[in-house]
Amino acid sequence: MSDLKTFPKGGVHPSDHKLSSQKKTLILPLPKVAKIPLSQHLGAPAVAVVKKGDQVKVGTLLAKSGGFISANIHSSVSGTVAMISEATDTSGYLKEMVVINVEGDEWEVNIDRSTDLKLEIVNTREEIIEIVKNAGIVGLGGATFPTHVKLMVPPGKKAQVLIINGVECEPYLTSDHRVMLERADEMLVGIKIIMKALNVEKAVIGIESNKPDAIEHLASKTKDYPGISVQPLKVMYPQGGEKQLIKAITGREVPNKGGLPIDVGVVVQNVGTALAVYEAVQKHKPLIERVITITGKSVKNPGNYLVRIGTPVIDLIEASGGLPEDSGKIISGGPMMGKALTSTEVPIVKGTSGILIMTDKEAKRIPQSNCIRCGKCVSVCPLGLEPYLLYQLSIKRKFDRLENEDVMNCCECGSCQFTCPASLPLLDYMRLGKLEVGKLIRSRKNN
Amino acid sequence: MTTKLLTVSPSPHVHGDFSTQRIMLDVAIALMPALLVSILYFGVGALKVVLVAVVACVLFEYLIQKFLLKVPVTITDGSALVSGLLLAFNVPSSIPTWMLILGALVTIGIAKMSFGGLGRNPFNPALVGRVFLLISFPVDMTNWPKPRLLDFSFVDAVSGATALGKLKEGVMMGETVDKLMMEIPSYIDLFVGNVNGSLGEMSAAALLIGAVYLLVRRVISIQIPMSFILSVVLLTGIFWLYDPSRYADPLFHILSGGLMLGAWFMATDMVTSPMSKIGMIIFGLGCGLLTVLIRLFGAYPEGVSFAILIMNAVVPLINRSCTPKRFGEVLK
């Protein structure tokens, strides 16, 4: 593996801590009550089509896509709709959810629950996009952008290469790693389906070199799938970021200020998404479950679980041996970009890639001191920004200056704050800056 | 079931193993070989100067923060320690103690605290202290004791001018460089530190060991020292080729005086140098150019301190004109 690629500018090396990378995926038992949020994706919330008292099965449509950028929501359990009400989700805000009392495990009849690999792709491009749309599939890497929108290449643009994101650069998380090892064939057929939908001949799976087993496994498997290849990558955070991954693999830079991957002829999909596409197209199964890592230094049995959407986080924690005594913070996602949870009762959603439990000690921030102008934040920023400056401008509330300094390009990867010797809350203030500049931009558009 | 409150905070939830304290400690460690050499050549007097400078700097910082500014005391961050070390490295070992303490007061009080403390000072504090002393007390500050290897007697050594000083004086009197070179230390002496000079600028070899440590620890990057030293080599080389009887060769210039100390340890001060790599190169080039101009044409034999201080003043400009290339800018 001498030809490891990576992106050229910025990046950091947080410690790996992939505690659960060798743990086979287990199936988490069904919850007693499932709370399924209507907004699990980027874009407009879905609109409920069931009401209190309705009987639902696994795969029953609960809510219809609420706009062009939105996604359908299906029931992940069978039972009775108890209510549709607001509850806290992973963001910490109240969101509308369909609450289902679970009874048995009855699936919609059209869903093929067999495990046989179905290789042959019979559907046309249009049919594939329609199926993906109906199945409510969103990007499972965490951004939860509706997948069917990405599959519809805008007129005048042409997709040349499909990149499959198997980077999993967040420390601790191993769910994508397990999917690549355990569900390789299904995932590869999924990739073929996406290639057909996009009308591209070439797909590249990007995997960091800290997952040699996945690289080896897929490199041998892809021999049977012409057009798909594996590209080993140097370990570097945030390589799982779409723009960094495209740069690493193709050398192309997605234009800033609103540019999209398709502008450089690329579409990126996560490995979990490819698996979900396979299940939807070949097995008629909507997105109702996903692989999730439960991990942390004090967690008794870190592992990977196939979890139904809507299962409370506490169920997953119990399965891993219970909440450790010294827990200080629970994070949905990885330690670099994940969200700290406000409750253990929040439901697992489509975008949950892992639950990380940090100890009391890890949960506390290091006290900040003066900026020593070392410039480390500038050198690690993968987007060529100057975090120290954006931080100061944001504190001084100079938002028009902030806009000129391209604060909106910030991807919130956290590399600057991770590396700051003075432990300054750089990203906190850059987020504030983005929020305020966003308001400025919107008010300008409205006038 | 007991209720336990968990922390909720925005990402990132982990922090790398980097701290201001660690950086300062690394700089202090990197200065140790040079300190050792100066103790070997100047004896206990050198150790005394270092201790006085460090204790005075740390104490002044403590007193100013505690009683004058009434802000949290941050002496544990190690920056005052490093300022003290660097101040000591920039004075002759024979400096009177009261004068050194006054220099420490200027270093910490005026150059650092009056601007708001660590990270806010535009000029390198130790250099401000040194230049203050040099201008105020030119006699004591240019009275360089002769090195005497492993002589630990407390008697003040015989004094003399530095190699650069002798050269400058001689050339002004109309003598040729060839002749003057006979009287000044050999390059080997300059390299190992067997020369007259301030504490820390003695041995290029010892400073280089420290510099390599800082490079390996990634406390400094190569841009500033490289462009600084290379521009000195280039410019002095041009003059040397033009008239070797009036101008010394580049090797002499990089081994003598404060260039090694300045280029590796003073110009690289994070607070007072540019943020971007390109900015660092411009900064280093400016330092080199000014050093050579002062050395060859100025009133002082040595120009490193002035060069760095002048370039410190330009850093904000360099920072604003050398912004990094934004990702994705190419296609727009």
Side-chain angles (χ1 to χ4, degrees):
Chain A
M1 280 188 279
S2 56
D3 57 339
L4 292 184
K5 288 187 175 177
T6 192
F7 58 100
K9 162 81 178 77
V12 291
H13 282 287
S15 312
D16 241 1
H17 299 300
K18 302 273 191 189
L19 310 173
S20 51
S21 64
Q22 299 311 315
K23 299 283 183 67
K24 281 197 85 163
T25 306
L26 305 172
I27 294 170
L28 191 74
L30 291 177
K32 287 192 181 65
V33 175
K35 286 189 284 185
I36 303 175
L38 297 181
S39 181
Q40 302 183 29
H41 45 261
L42 215 73
V47 183
V49 294
V50 291
K51 57 184 191 304
K52 187 178 169 180
D54 282 3
Q55 292 291 314
V56 294
K57 294 177 186 169
V58 178
T60 307
L61 186 71
L62 294 180
K64 272 182 84 76
S65 164
F68 177 64
I69 297 181
S70 183
N72 286 348
I73 307 278
H74 298 82
S75 181
S76 58
V77 291
S78 61
T80 315
V81 176
M83 56 181 157
I84 299 175
S85 70
E86 287 192 324
T88 311
D89 78 345
T90 45
S91 70
Y93 291 103
L94 289 175
K95 293 279 168 67
E96 198 148 67
M97 299 186 191
V98 178
V99 181
I100 301 167
N101 288 328
V102 180
E103 296 144 12
D105 188 26
E106 202 181 326
W107 290 54
E108 289 283 357
V109 285
N110 64 330
I111 300 173
D112 174 4
R113 296 185 67 192
S114 72
T115 54
D116 320 335
L117 183 70
K118 202 177 152 202
L119 274 168
E120 198 194 352
I121 304 163
V122 294
N123 303 89
T124 64
R125 273 191 68 208
E126 290 72 22
E127 283 169 354
I128 292 169
I129 293 171
E130 196 58 26
I131 294 169
V132 167
K133 184 181 174 187
N134 290 337
I137 297 175
V138 300
L140 296 185
T144 63
F145 190 82
T147 301
H148 67 274
V149 182
K150 271 189 178 180
L151 295 184
M152 294 187 282
V153 179
K157 303 256 163 76
K158 167 90 180 87
Q160 292 152 346
V161 58
L162 168 67
I163 291 178
I164 298 297
N165 191 342
V167 176
E168 204 159 49
C169 62
E170 276 273 9
Y172 288 98
L173 301 186
T174 58
S175 53
D176 288 349
H177 187 183
R178 293 315 301 178
V179 167
M180 289 188 282
L181 287 177
E182 297 169 16
R183 315 283 296 269
D185 278 306
E186 293 157 274
M187 183 191 94
L188 287 165
V189 176
I191 294 171
K192 277 281 175 199
I193 296 168
I194 299 172
M195 287 166 73
K196 186 170 179 186
L198 290 169
N199 193 19
V200 298
E201 300 297 320
K202 198 180 153 201
V204 183
I205 309 170
I207 308 173
E208 285 191 344
S209 61
N210 60 355
K211 295 178 268 293
D213 49 352
I215 295 174
E216 208 176 298
H217 185 60
L218 287 179
S220 74
K221 283 276 180 197
T222 46
K223 283 179 191 134
D224 305 331
Y225 296 85
I228 306 179
S229 62
V230 174
Q231 175 60 57
L233 300 163
K234 211 171 130 186
V235 178
M236 184 70 85
Y237 178 87
Q239 194 148 240
E242 209 168 53
K243 290 181 172 183
Q244 276 61 51
L245 184 59
I246 294 170
K247 179 76 179 171
I249 290 182
T250 67
R252 298 175 196 171
E253 271 185 32
V254 177
N256 61 8
K257 300 186 178 101
L260 293 172
I262 193 69
D263 294 332
V264 291
V266 181
V267 172
V268 182
Q269 298 285 0
N270 170 271
V271 292
T273 315
L275 176 62
V277 167
Y278 166 83
E279 291 187 322
V281 176
Q282 306 293 68
K283 304 276 181 177
H284 316 294
K285 182 179 155 193
L287 183 56
I288 50 117
E289 58 187 2
R290 63 160 298 157
V291 179
I292 296 175
T293 302
I294 168 79
T295 183
K297 281 181 192 148
S298 296
V299 171
K300 278 202 198 84
N301 302 306
N304 306 287
Y305 289 88
L306 187 64
V307 184
R308 300 280 176 93
I309 305 297
T311 306
V313 165
I314 188 69
D315 284 19
L316 188 60
I317 296 173
E318 292 299 340
S320 71
L323 193 66
E325 277 286 304
D326 62 351
S327 302
K329 197 193 268 185
I330 303 176
I331 297 160
S332 161
M336 292 300 287
M337 289 187 79
K339 285 199 163 70
L341 297 181
T342 53
S343 153
T344 53
E345 291 301 322
V346 302
I348 300 283
V349 291
K350 292 174 182 176
T352 314
S353 46
I355 296 295
L356 165 62
I357 301 175
M358 299 195 107
T359 62
D360 278 322
K361 212 173 137 229
E362 292 172 313
K364 289 196 181 64
R365 281 190 175 180
I366 303 160
Q368 68 185 74
S369 51
N370 283 3
C371 170
I372 55 168
R373 309 181 68 75
C374 62
K376 282 191 197 299
C377 57
V378 179
S379 62
V380 301
C381 178
L383 295 171
L385 304 176
E386 295 158 285
Y388 80 95
L389 181 69
L390 303 178
Y391 166 77
Q392 286 163 357
L393 290 174
S394 188
I395 287 178
K396 291 174 183 156
R397 306 189 68 81
K398 292 187 173 161
F399 299 118
D400 39 354
R401 213 14 243 288
L402 260 178
E403 189 183 354
N404 288 334
E405 298 293 344
D406 298 313
V407 72
M408 296 311 272
N409 286 1
C410 169
C411 66
E412 307 187 16
C413 70
S415 296
C416 50
Q417 194 167 323
F418 173 83
T419 202
C420 179
S423 304
L424 294 173
L426 296 168
L427 185 52
D428 292 4
Y429 279 94
M430 287 163 71
R431 281 201 187 95
L432 172 73
K434 286 178 74 175
L435 191 77
E436 294 292 336
V437 172
K439 283 184 198 163
L440 281 180
I441 294 172
R442 275 195 298 279
S443 72
R444 221 172 25 229
K445 266 183 194 159
N446 294 341
N447 290 337
Chain B
M1 201 176 126
T2 54
T3 311
K4 177 166 182 181
L5 285 180
L6 298 173
T7 306
V8 178
S9 61
S11 66
H13 305 284
V14 281
H15 189 268
D17 186 22
F18 317 103
S19 69
T20 304
Q21 218 170 5
R22 179 71 224 192
I23 290 170
M24 296 300 167
L25 181 67
D26 276 335
V27 177
I29 290 171
L31 289 169
M32 288 305 122
L35 176 62
L36 210 65
V37 170
S38 65
I39 292 172
L40 283 181
Y41 282 118
F42 290 135
V44 195
L47 194 60
K48 192 186 84 181
V49 169
V50 170
L51 286 178
V52 169
V54 167
V55 170
C57 279
V58 174
L59 194 67
F60 281 132
E61 180 153 311
Y62 174 81
L63 293 174
I64 290 170
Q65 287 183 324
K66 178 103 180 166
F67 298 107
L68 195 63
L69 301 176
K70 297 189 171 61
V71 293
V73 175
T74 58
I75 51 169
T76 50
D77 66 22
S79 62
L81 167 87
V82 168
S83 293
L85 276 173
L86 286 173
L87 177 67
F89 274 36
N90 274 291
V91 298
S93 63
S94 58
I95 186 171
T97 301
W98 66 268
M99 202 182 283
L100 184 59
I101 293 174
L102 187 62
L105 182 61
V106 171
T107 297
I108 295 297
I110 294 178
K112 188 176 174 193
M113 284 306 158
S114 67
F115 288 101
L118 178 64
R120 311 236 163 93
N121 49 296
F123 300 101
N124 186 313
L127 281 180
V128 172
R130 175 209 150 96
V131 165
F132 162 78
L133 290 175
L134 183 64
I135 297 172
S136 310
F137 313 103
V139 177
D140 290 281
M141 281 295 286
T142 50
N143 183 22
W144 311 102
K146 284 217 170 75
R148 291 173 308 175
L149 189 58
L150 293 174
D151 180 351
F152 291 113
S153 60
F154 235 119
V155 190
D156 269 345
V158 193
S159 63
T162 61
L164 275 171
K166 276 182 193 158
L167 190 73
K168 181 133 208 167
E169 211 175 309
V171 170
M172 281 187 168
M173 309 281 271
E175 294 193 55
T176 63
V177 171
D178 286 352
K179 211 174 144 213
L180 289 165
M181 282 291 180
M182 314 283 237
E183 296 165 30
I184 56 185
S186 71
Y187 290 169
I188 296 293
D189 281 336
L190 283 170
F191 190 66
V192 298
N194 191 17
V195 290
N196 298 350
S198 69
L199 274 186
E201 59 187 41
M202 306 273 299
S203 162
L207 289 169
L208 279 176
I209 294 171
V212 168
Y213 174 77
L214 287 186
L215 283 172
V216 170
R217 291 279 309 160
R218 293 186 181 210
V219 172
I220 63 171
S221 49
I222 195 85
Q223 281 83 358
I224 293 175
M226 259 316 166
S227 56
F228 194 161
I229 293 169
L230 285 180
S231 60
V232 168
V233 168
L234 192 74
L235 288 168
T236 55
I238 292 170
F239 282 104
W240 175 60
L241 289 174
Y242 172 69
D243 187 354
S245 69
R246 283 187 59 204
Y247 302 104
D249 62 90
L251 189 60
F252 173 79
H253 275 287
I254 59 169
L255 290 178
S256 63
L259 185 64
M260 282 294 160
L261 181 65
W264 293 104
F265 293 92
M266 315 291 281
T268 53
D269 171 30
M270 291 168 173
V271 176
T272 56
S273 62
M275 298 273 197
S276 63
K277 304 285 182 237
I278 299 167
M280 287 177 181
I281 292 172
I282 295 172
F283 178 81
L285 291 176
C287 288
L289 174 71
L290 289 170
T291 299
V292 173
L293 288 180
I294 296 169
R295 275 189 183 182
L296 298 185
F297 307 109
Y300 286 92
E302 173 58 308
V304 170
S305 310
F306 295 106
I308 296 173
L309 285 175
I310 293 167
M311 287 311 290
N312 282 165
V314 190
V315 165
L317 272 178
I318 297 178
N319 276 341
R320 285 338 301 142
S321 52
C322 298
T323 52
K325 191 184 83 67
R326 308 283 193 241
F327 185 96
E329 202 71 72
V330 275
L331 293 173
K332 289 267 158 172

